């Protein structure tokens, strides 16, 4: 028997070889394991604590036996006397992700009308910043459309594909085929929230033939954060994301597993009933309407493109700091150079560099004291506007594709009640998001590729005036040697991940679905590529700030000094070797929270206000 115990936000799996032992033993064993993992925290030899069951929130008697109050793989929260319950600690193992703080910062409601959802909105819904406003998807217009399409289906007396027949090869049979066949780890709650919100937005358009009762039940489940167990693998993006969307629907039907902040993972019907909700009861066509569409690849793609946009902005800031410590010139960012090759992204990046580097507005003592003495810089410095620029343009292109996809009807058949017909088409095919997300991977990867080369230039004394591996007493200390290796490893992984998923196609469903998009994999690997980019740039940020130490007491420009100060609030200078992975992690967190960008934005706006000749906004 195994029990997961949360102690101060850390989840510890405690094997219970003898389930007849007391709950007190379980708590003490969890504390012992926690103390071993956190040697710097001092715990009493006889700590006082209480235990709370995740499923129902009930307090547990420490004298009860484990087997009498818990089941195998149950979840328990432990509070040490003097601590307070922290809602962010209620997340269960496998559900936590550093990019999000689930349901911690609920801010209000957002409206879904099937036409105006953006990738930024969807990510905010996933983070728990918003609930869905109850009345908005059911406005008078949408109510009319939805009622019309649903009522029309109820009047059908002919056999219609997916309405009263099976799917795919079984289209000639009036049956419901089980498609709950996904595999792999479950999506984390934030991503399942995004998936459910996007499904609601699509159905609210009114062309899927679902009842308002079903739509309202889905909306209520979202607002209560009752989230189905959805495995991340199993879609080929052909008839949409059939398997994952089927698992999403399964929980809403009261079957399988669901998760909520109050219950953790448990039986779906128990989760729904615990929130006063009733399962969906499928009506004609609703089975296919709930599982047919591109919502998984699109929702994961929304997160990928939003994170890509955030790291692309901050890549310019980090690269500017690197250029400063490598004593590069800002001449390559002259406005006239980029005006004669007027790609939007290139112009934007060059403007950001001008705002960050030595100028009459923000002078740099380093640039003034140690003037540039080379004819020109290496490409990794000089060509940042060109390389970073096309990444920005790629992100903008992908975002446009996805924003259209988020507000599209992508199931099949579609119901056009005004015409009195249902039409089978191909809107479910995932080629649009699949191709766009493959393009995103390729475009954003270059930010890591060029960053790794800049890290090399800082670490290699033959390419700079800096100490080897950015550390004193080289040889005794290895400094950033292995951190650079980590960056190189991540870039190499990305080279494989950037191979397009959407160039592959395997015929499925007995050749009925004989061309598929592989959009689900395109989305999942795009997310992994973006994460690697973030981590490489976190390493560059650490290296550039460390390099700046060797110029002291000279200072850099005001915005770049602000970046240095920000990092030094969480990472101290590198004086001798220590564990670096934790430094990389906290620097990565700064980037995930966009703190580097927020730190320099006021300075960049000040620069823009002082130079009215520039034609684009810094953000």
């Amino acid at each position: 028997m195994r029990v997961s115990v949360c102690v101060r936000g850390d989840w510890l799996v405690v094997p219970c070889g003898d389930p007849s032992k007391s709950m007190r033993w379980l708590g003490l064993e969890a504390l012992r394991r926690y103390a071993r993992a956190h040697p710097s925290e001092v715990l009493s030899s006889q700590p006082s604590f209480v235990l709370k069951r995740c499923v129902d929130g009930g307090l547990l008697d420490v004298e009860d036996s484990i087997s009498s109050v818990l089941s195998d793989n149950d979840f328990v929260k432990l509070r040490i006397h003097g601590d307070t319950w922290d809602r962010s600690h209620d997340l269960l193992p496998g559900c936590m992700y550093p990019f999000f703080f689930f349901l911690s910062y609920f801010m209000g409601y957002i409206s879904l009308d099937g036409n105006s959802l953006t990738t930024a909105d969807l990510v905010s819904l996933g983070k728990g910043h918003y609930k869905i406003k109850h009345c908005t998807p059911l406005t008078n217009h949408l109510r009319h459309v939805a009622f019309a399409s649903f009522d029309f289906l109820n009047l059908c007396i002919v056999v219609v594909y997916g309405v009263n027949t099976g799917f795919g090869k079984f289209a000639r049979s009036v049956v419901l085929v089980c498609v709950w066949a996904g595999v792999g780890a479950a999506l984390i709650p934030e991503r399942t929230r995004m998936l459910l919100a996007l499904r609601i937005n699509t159905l609210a358009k009114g062309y899927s033939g679902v009842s308002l009762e079903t739509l309202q039940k889905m909306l209520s489940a979202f607002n209560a954060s009752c989230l189905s167990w959805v495995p991340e693998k199993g879609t080929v993006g052909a008839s949409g994301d059939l398997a994952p969307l089927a698992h999403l629907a399964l929980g809403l039907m009261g079957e399988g597993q669901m998760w909520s902040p109050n219950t953790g993972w448990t039986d779906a019907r128990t989760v729904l009933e615990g929130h006063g909700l009733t399962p969906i009861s499928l009506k004609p066509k609703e089975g296919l309407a709930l599982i047919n569409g591109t919502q998984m690849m699109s929702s994961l793609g929304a997160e990928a493109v939003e994170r890509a946009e955030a790291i692309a902005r901050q890549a310019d800031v980090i690269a500017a700091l690197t250029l400063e410590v490598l004593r590069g010139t800002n001449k390559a960012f002259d406005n006239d150079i980029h005006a004669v090759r007027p790609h939007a992204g290139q112009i934007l990046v060059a403007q950001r560099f001008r705002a960050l580097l030595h100028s009459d507005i923000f002078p740099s003592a380093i640039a003034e004291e140690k003037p540039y003495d080379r004819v020109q810089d290496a490409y990794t410095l000089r060509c940042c506007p060109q390389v970073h620029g096309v990444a920005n343009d790629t992100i903008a292109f992908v975002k446009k594709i996805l924003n259209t996809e988020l507000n599209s009807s992508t199931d099949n058949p579609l119901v056009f009640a005004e015409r009195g017909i249902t039409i089978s088409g191909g809107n479910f095919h995932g080629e649009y998001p699949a191709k766009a997300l493959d393009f995103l991977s390729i475009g954003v990867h270059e930010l890591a590729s060029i960053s790794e080369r800049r890290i090399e230039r800082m670490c290699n004394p033959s390419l700079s005036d800096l100490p080897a591996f950015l550390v004193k007493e080289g040889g005794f200390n290895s400094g950033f040697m292995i951190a650079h290796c980590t960056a190189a490893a991540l870039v190499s992984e990305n080279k494989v991940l950037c191979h397009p998923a959407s160039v592959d196609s395997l015929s499925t469903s007995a050749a009925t679905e004989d061309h598929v998009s592989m959009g689900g994999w395109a989305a999942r690997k795009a997310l992994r590529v973006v994460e690697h980019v973030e981590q490489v740039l976190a390493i560059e940020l650490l290296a550039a700030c460390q390099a700046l130490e060797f110029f002291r007491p000279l200072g850099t420009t005001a915005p770049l000094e602000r970046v240095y100060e920000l990092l030094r609030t969480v990472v101290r200078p590198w004086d001798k070797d220590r564990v670096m992975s934790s430094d990389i992690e906290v620097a990565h967190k700064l980037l995930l929270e966009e703190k580097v960008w927020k730190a320099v934005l006021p300075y960049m706006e000040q620069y823009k206000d002082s130079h009215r000749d520039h034609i684009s906004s810094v953000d």
Side-chain angles (χ1 to χ4, degrees):
M1 184 173 177
R2 296 155 61 89
V3 178
S4 295
V5 183
C6 180
V7 181
R8 290 180 175 172
D10 281 6
W11 282 95
L12 308 162
V13 177
V14 181
C16 306
D18 182 3
S20 66
K21 290 182 177 179
S22 70
M23 292 297 296
R24 185 186 304 279
W25 174 88
L26 176 67
L28 290 172
E29 178 63 15
L31 287 171
R32 185 185 70 81
R33 291 168 180 257
Y34 178 84
R36 189 169 60 187
H38 299 271
S40 62
E41 294 189 30
V42 179
L43 297 178
S44 169
S45 59
Q46 295 292 327
S48 174
F49 59 86
V50 294
L51 296 168
K52 181 178 177 182
R53 186 163 45 207
C54 290
V55 172
D56 55 12
L59 291 175
L60 298 165
D61 189 331
V62 295
E63 301 305 326
D64 285 342
S65 67
I66 297 171
S67 58
S68 67
V69 293
L70 299 178
S71 303
D72 191 22
N73 290 318
D74 224 332
F75 302 97
V76 171
K77 288 171 280 188
L78 182 152
R79 177 169 64 86
I80 302 170
H81 181 70
D83 289 355
T84 57
W85 291 117
D86 184 342
R87 193 175 187 185
S88 67
H89 294 170
D90 289 357
L91 295 175
L92 299 182
C95 302
M96 292 187 289
Y97 191 68
F99 183 50
F100 298 114
F101 297 93
F102 184 67
L103 293 178
S104 298
Y105 304 103
F106 172 69
M107 297 189 299
Y109 290 91
I110 196 169
S111 299
L112 296 184
D113 58 11
N115 298 304
S116 55
L117 184 66
T118 67
T119 54
D121 292 337
L122 190 58
V123 169
S124 292
L125 285 163
K127 290 180 182 179
H129 289 178
Y130 300 99
K131 292 183 179 181
I132 300 173
K133 196 170 184 179
H134 285 271
C135 62
T136 305
L138 308 176
T139 60
N140 290 334
H141 167 68
L142 290 175
R143 181 180 295 273
H144 168 73
V145 174
F147 263 136
S149 60
F150 178 70
D151 288 346
F152 168 71
L153 289 178
N154 283 328
L155 294 174
C156 285
I157 57 174
V158 296
V159 174
V160 179
Y161 171 73
V163 176
N164 47 15
T165 77
F167 318 139
K169 180 66 175 177
F170 295 101
R172 297 182 182 180
S173 306
V174 185
V175 296
L176 179 64
V177 179
C178 179
V179 287
W180 300 303
V183 297
L187 295 178
I188 58 174
E190 293 82 357
R191 290 173 181 165
T192 308
R193 279 173 60 85
M194 292 169 63
L195 180 63
L196 179 55
L198 183 53
R199 200 75 196 112
I200 292 169
N201 190 62
T202 299
L203 296 177
K205 290 184 73 68
Y207 298 102
S208 302
V210 299
S211 66
L212 291 175
E213 177 188 0
T214 294
L215 190 59
Q216 185 63 59
K217 286 183 176 182
M218 294 176 70
L219 190 149
S220 298
F222 176 90
N223 285 341
S225 291
C226 296
L227 306 172
S228 305
W229 184 85
V230 180
E232 64 179 7
K233 299 178 183 178
T235 174
V236 295
S239 196
D241 294 313
L242 283 177
L245 288 174
H247 283 276
L248 181 71
L250 181 65
L252 295 169
M253 294 164 60
E255 304 292 337
Q257 296 283 302
M258 289 190 95
W259 180 92
S260 82
N262 296 334
T263 64
W265 286 108
T266 189
D267 176 72
R269 190 172 293 271
T270 300
V271 175
L272 292 171
E273 290 176 353
H275 291 80
L277 304 177
T278 57
I280 288 172
S281 178
L282 293 180
K283 301 172 182 63
K285 208 274 187 182
E286 289 190 334
L288 192 54
L290 293 180
I291 70 173
N292 212 195
T294 61
Q295 280 66 55
M296 178 165 160
M297 66 183 86
S298 298
S299 59
L300 295 182
E303 181 190 334
V305 78
E306 285 297 314
R307 289 173 65 176
E309 186 174 56
I311 196 58
R313 286 195 292 253
Q314 295 173 110
D316 297 341
V317 181
I318 296 167
L321 183 55
T322 297
L323 183 139
E324 177 80 339
V325 299
L326 290 173
R327 297 175 58 196
T329 178
N330 59 6
K331 293 180 180 178
F333 312 115
D334 186 277
N335 186 56
D336 288 343
I337 291 176
H338 304 284
V340 296
R341 195 194 190 195
H343 291 294
Q346 179 176 330
I347 289 173
L348 178 62
V349 172
Q351 179 184 327
R352 290 173 179 167
F353 271 76
R354 290 195 300 272
L356 293 165
L357 293 169
H358 177 65
S359 68
D360 55 341
I361 304 300
F362 301 123
S364 165
I366 293 174
E368 292 175 342
E369 180 79 11
K370 297 176 178 292
Y372 181 78
D373 59 1
R374 291 182 296 277
V375 175
Q376 56 189 8
D377 288 322
Y379 289 2
T380 50
L381 302 177
R382 193 194 334 164
C383 298
C384 283
Q386 291 78 12
V387 178
H388 289 205
V390 73
N392 278 267
D393 288 340
T394 300
I395 292 165
F397 170 80
V398 173
K399 202 167 187 177
K400 182 178 179 182
I401 294 288
L402 289 176
N403 281 333
T404 298
E405 191 74 8
L406 300 187
N407 296 288
S408 299
S409 290
T410 56
D411 60 292
N412 182 59
L414 293 174
V415 182
F416 299 93
E418 295 87 347
R419 298 173 61 188
I421 59 173
T422 63
I423 306 176
S424 291
N427 279 4
F428 51 73
H429 200 291
E431 198 75 4
Y432 264 100
K435 280 289 187 288
L437 291 168
D438 279 338
F439 190 22
L440 179 67
S441 294
I442 295 168
V444 76
H445 159 70
E446 287 305 306
L447 297 176
S449 180
I450 195 171
S451 174
E452 182 273 329
R453 289 290 82 203
R454 291 193 297 260
I455 297 169
E456 159 73 0
R457 298 194 77 81
M458 286 187 283
C459 290
N460 189 339
S462 66
L463 299 175
S464 72
D465 297 326
L466 297 166
F469 305 112
L470 303 174
V471 68
K472 297 177 181 178
E473 300 181 18
F476 181 74
N477 292 300
S478 61
F480 278 71
M481 178 189 296
I482 306 305
H484 172 241
C485 290
T486 299
L490 293 170
V491 168
S492 185
E493 282 193 33
N494 273 3
K495 291 175 184 175
V496 176
L497 291 170
C498 285
H499 178 80
S502 61
V503 299
D504 186 25
S505 177
L506 293 172
S507 180
T508 59
S509 193
T512 300
E513 300 165 359
D514 55 351
H515 182 275
V516 301
S517 70
M518 299 298 179
W521 173 226
R524 288 193 294 116
K525 70 185 185 66
L527 270 171
R528 192 181 303 180
V529 167
V530 171
E531 182 179 38
H532 290 169
V533 172
E534 294 164 348
Q535 290 165 336
V536 171
L537 281 156
I539 294 171
E540 185 184 356
L541 174 61
L542 290 168
C545 287
Q546 175 65 16
L548 194 57
E549 302 290 347
F550 298 105
F551 288 91
R552 297 312 192 194
L554 298 177
T556 180
T557 65
L560 296 181
E561 282 290 346
R562 181 69 190 91
V563 173
Y564 169 84
E565 292 165 3
L566 172 67
L567 182 73
R568 288 291 174 251
T569 64
V570 292
V571 177
R572 69 181 189 274
W574 192 270
D575 52 356
K576 60 181 180 180
D577 282 357
R578 62 176 187 262
V579 176
M580 187 174 278
S581 58
S582 57
D583 290 355
I584 298 171
E585 182 179 343
V586 295
H588 184 201
K589 185 178 178 181
L590 290 179
L591 298 176
L592 288 171
E593 295 172 354
E594 295 190 66
K595 288 187 176 180
V596 169
W597 178 249
K598 293 171 184 175
V600 301
L601 187 56
Y603 298 95
M604 298 176 77
E605 292 290 352
Q606 181 182 342
Y607 182 90
K608 184 184 70 172
D609 290 341
S610 302
H611 291 72
R612 296 295 183 180
D613 59 315
H614 302 303
I615 60 173
S616 60
S617 172
V618 294
D619 56 353

